[in-house]
């Protein structure tokens, strides 16, 4: 059978105030085109369909149309909720999805059978997929209790809980004539972040070892980390990565989807198919004079200015690079906390003195900014 594995669409993403709706339309059209050309038997979307738990009507329309179009290629379609998604809201769409032939699993349900999906390809290959949506740490124990663990077992770590849940979902991965698959939205120890993930959900408290996946699985389709990569484990474990760079921290990633060909008796053959429709993200840096000599690359820009801050500097840079979404003083020039002049003491010091200390600590020597502060302060006080 052939599987198209994708994840982390983040539809509805706004980058520094810039809507990416048109980019998302083009990117998802590209994913659909790949599905039409490759004719997969199964499409797996491993979470984070949306960028926010409260997506706009436009974002919802785009995602539902994309899922419908993928289903119309003839593939079975399974999508799970990620940490950016509203799991219960996705589950509320299940009646629509089931009528359309699409399988949605937004949140962890009480019945583990809800997360085990069986199917057969047009060519007769039988498959079973264990689908585990993102599970917040605060609900992990509750979910474990759903699966009838003892009180002692509920004191174990998040990784232990996830391992037990996955063991329960994959306990039927024993039939020799069936392809066994897992999809989940989580962080695996040793995998590399893409640069734009939500830090609170990728720290080590949320990371699990690859050993939580059974050696009897033919392929594990993961979402959550935005860089396409293989992870060492007891079976083939892979992140498809995001089909577009969601932030400047991901500008070096190669957006793609993953194609997998596998049978009950043969190992998974994996290849990446690039998705190139999104606008490229670039970072340029230099002094104002150096920046003036740079030909701006095509795409959205982040500009690091290698000069001390001063009034009007941002406007001058914006004039050079109209497509700059982020303009900052180069972080290498910003003093580390506590490395500047003495720390300002509030007691007995005027606002002007405190502000002057702050500017000194940041290496900001522009008298115009101090004068502007004085004007504003005087206006407020009078």
């Amino acid at each position: 059978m052939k599987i198209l594995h994708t994840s982390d669409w983040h539809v509805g993403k706004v980058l520094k105030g810039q809507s990416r709706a048109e980019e998302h339309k083009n990117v998802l059209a590209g994913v659909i085109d790949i599905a039409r050309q490759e004719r997969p038997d199964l499409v797996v979307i491993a979470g984070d369909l949306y960028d926010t738990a409260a997506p706009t009507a436009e974002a919802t329309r785009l995602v539902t149309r994309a899922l419908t179009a993928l289903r119309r290629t003839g593939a079975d379609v399974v999508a799970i909720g990620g940490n950016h998604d509203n799991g219960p809201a996705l589950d509320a769409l299940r009646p629509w999805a089931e009528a359309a032939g699409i399988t949605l699993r937004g949140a962890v349900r009480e019945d583990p059978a809800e997360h085990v999906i069986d199917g057969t390809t047009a060519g007769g290959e039988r498959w079973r997929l264990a689908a585990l949506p993102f599970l917040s740490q605060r609900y992990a124990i509750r979910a474990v209790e759903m699966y009838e663990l003892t009180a002692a077992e509920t004191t174990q770590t998040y990784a232990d809980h996830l391992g037990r849940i996955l063991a329960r979902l994959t306990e039927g991965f024993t039939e020799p004539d069936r392809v066994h698959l897992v999809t989940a939205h989580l962080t695996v120890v040793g995998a590399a972040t893409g640069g734009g993930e939500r830090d609170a959900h990728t720290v080590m408290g949320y990371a699990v070892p690859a050993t939580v996946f059974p050696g009897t699985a033919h392929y594990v389709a993961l979402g959550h980390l935005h860089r396409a990569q293989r992870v060492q484990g007891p079976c083939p474990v892979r992140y498809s990565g995001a089909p577009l760079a969601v932030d400047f921290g991901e500008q070096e990633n190669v957006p793609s989807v993953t194609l997998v060909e596998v049978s009950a008796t043969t190992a998974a053959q994996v290849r990446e198919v690039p998705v190139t429709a999104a606008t490229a993200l670039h970072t340029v840096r230099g002094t104002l004079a150096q920046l003036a000599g740079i030909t701006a690359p095509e795409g959205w820009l982040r500009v690091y200015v290698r000069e001390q801050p001063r009034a009007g500097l941002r406007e001058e840079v914006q004039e050079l690079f109209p497509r700059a979404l982020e303009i900052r003083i180069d972080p290498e020039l910003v003093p580390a906390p506590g490395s500047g002049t003495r720390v300002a003491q509030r007691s007995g010091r005027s606002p002007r003195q405190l502000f002057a200390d702050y500017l000194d600590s940041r290496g900001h020597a522009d008298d115009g900014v101090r004068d502007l502060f004085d004007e504003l302060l005087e206006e407020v006080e009078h």
Side-chain angles (χ1 to χ4, degrees):
M1 66 180 296
K2 183 183 286 189
I3 304 159
L4 189 155
H5 167 204
T6 180
S7 72
D8 297 278
W9 291 356
H10 287 273
V11 175
K13 174 69 177 179
V14 175
L15 178 60
K16 313 300 180 184
Q18 173 66 44
S19 170
R20 306 191 75 187
E22 202 59 37
E23 289 180 71
H24 264 116
K25 290 178 185 177
N26 295 333
V27 164
L28 294 184
V31 173
I32 294 162
D33 283 343
I34 292 170
R36 286 172 178 155
Q37 294 166 15
E38 296 286 346
R39 308 296 296 180
D41 300 290
L42 173 65
V43 174
V44 177
I45 304 101
D48 280 355
L49 287 81
Y50 298 103
D51 191 60
T52 172
T56 64
E58 179 184 27
T60 301
R61 184 164 50 249
L62 181 54
V63 166
T64 54
R65 286 179 176 176
L67 294 175
T68 301
L70 288 169
R71 176 65 182 129
R72 285 176 178 165
T73 66
D76 286 308
V77 176
V78 178
I80 62 173
N83 60 306
H84 282 254
D85 297 316
N86 184 326
L90 282 181
D91 281 333
L93 290 174
R94 282 179 60 169
W96 161 82
E98 289 167 4
I102 298 163
T103 301
L104 281 182
R105 295 294 182 265
V108 177
R109 294 293 190 97
E110 293 184 12
D111 182 1
E114 287 269 336
H115 299 282
V116 180
I117 301 147
D118 290 332
T120 304
T121 70
E125 189 79 59
R126 298 165 64 229
W127 55 268
R128 172 166 290 173
L129 172 66
L132 181 64
F134 176 76
L135 184 61
S136 173
Q137 197 174 46
R138 74 174 70 177
Y139 296 114
I141 292 177
R142 178 182 170 190
V144 169
E145 290 171 340
M146 291 177 185
Y147 297 164
E148 301 176 349
L149 294 184
T150 66
E153 288 170 325
T154 63
T155 64
Q156 299 302 305
T157 65
Y158 178 80
D160 290 335
H161 297 332
L162 264 291
R164 288 189 175 96
I165 292 171
L166 283 165
R168 179 67 182 273
L169 299 183
T170 61
E171 61 187 8
F173 281 20
T174 56
E175 299 179 48
D177 60 345
R178 191 194 298 265
V179 176
H180 301 131
L181 307 167
V182 177
T183 185
H185 193 87
L186 46 74
T187 303
V188 176
V189 175
T193 59
E197 300 87 352
R198 184 174 289 170
D199 289 342
H201 292 154
T202 55
V203 294
M204 289 309 294
Y206 273 92
V208 302
T211 51
V212 298
F213 305 114
T216 52
H218 290 81
Y219 182 75
V220 177
L222 297 181
H224 194 28
L225 302 186
H226 296 173
R227 180 177 299 173
Q229 60 192 292
R230 179 173 178 264
V231 181
Q232 292 293 331
C235 56
V237 180
R238 185 172 178 83
Y239 288 96
S240 67
L244 84 169
V246 301
D247 207 341
F248 286 103
E250 301 181 8
Q251 64 185 30
E252 301 302 325
N253 296 350
V254 179
S256 63
V257 298
T258 298
L259 268 295
V260 183
E261 295 188 59
V262 64
S263 75
T265 57
T266 58
Q269 301 296 314
V270 177
R271 57 191 169 94
E272 293 180 21
V273 180
V275 180
T276 59
T279 302
L281 306 182
H282 300 283
T283 298
V284 296
R285 63 179 72 207
T287 64
L288 193 62
Q290 290 169 336
L291 292 172
I294 293 176
T295 300
E298 291 293 326
W300 302 120
L301 302 181
R302 175 175 63 180
V303 183
Y304 284 155
V305 188
R306 299 189 62 83
E307 293 191 10
Q308 294 302 324
R310 57 178 172 78
L313 181 59
R314 177 184 177 84
E315 288 73 15
E316 293 178 55
V317 175
Q318 192 77 62
E319 187 173 347
L320 290 173
F321 301 107
R323 289 178 65 83
L325 299 182
E326 181 179 355
I327 300 171
R328 297 174 53 193
I329 300 301
D330 194 318
E332 295 178 2
L333 297 184
V334 178
S339 65
T341 57
R342 61 186 173 81
V343 177
Q345 300 297 318
R346 293 181 63 87
S347 179
R349 300 178 64 77
S350 71
R352 289 182 177 85
Q353 292 171 320
L354 291 171
F355 187 64
D357 282 341
Y358 169 77
L359 293 179
D360 290 342
S361 72
R362 306 294 288 185
H364 200 310
D366 186 4
D367 289 337
V369 174
R370 299 171 194 251
D371 293 340
L372 179 58
F373 178 83
D374 289 344
E375 290 178 22
L376 292 173
L377 182 62
E378 184 175 350
E379 182 176 329
V380 171
E381 290 178 340
H382 296 88

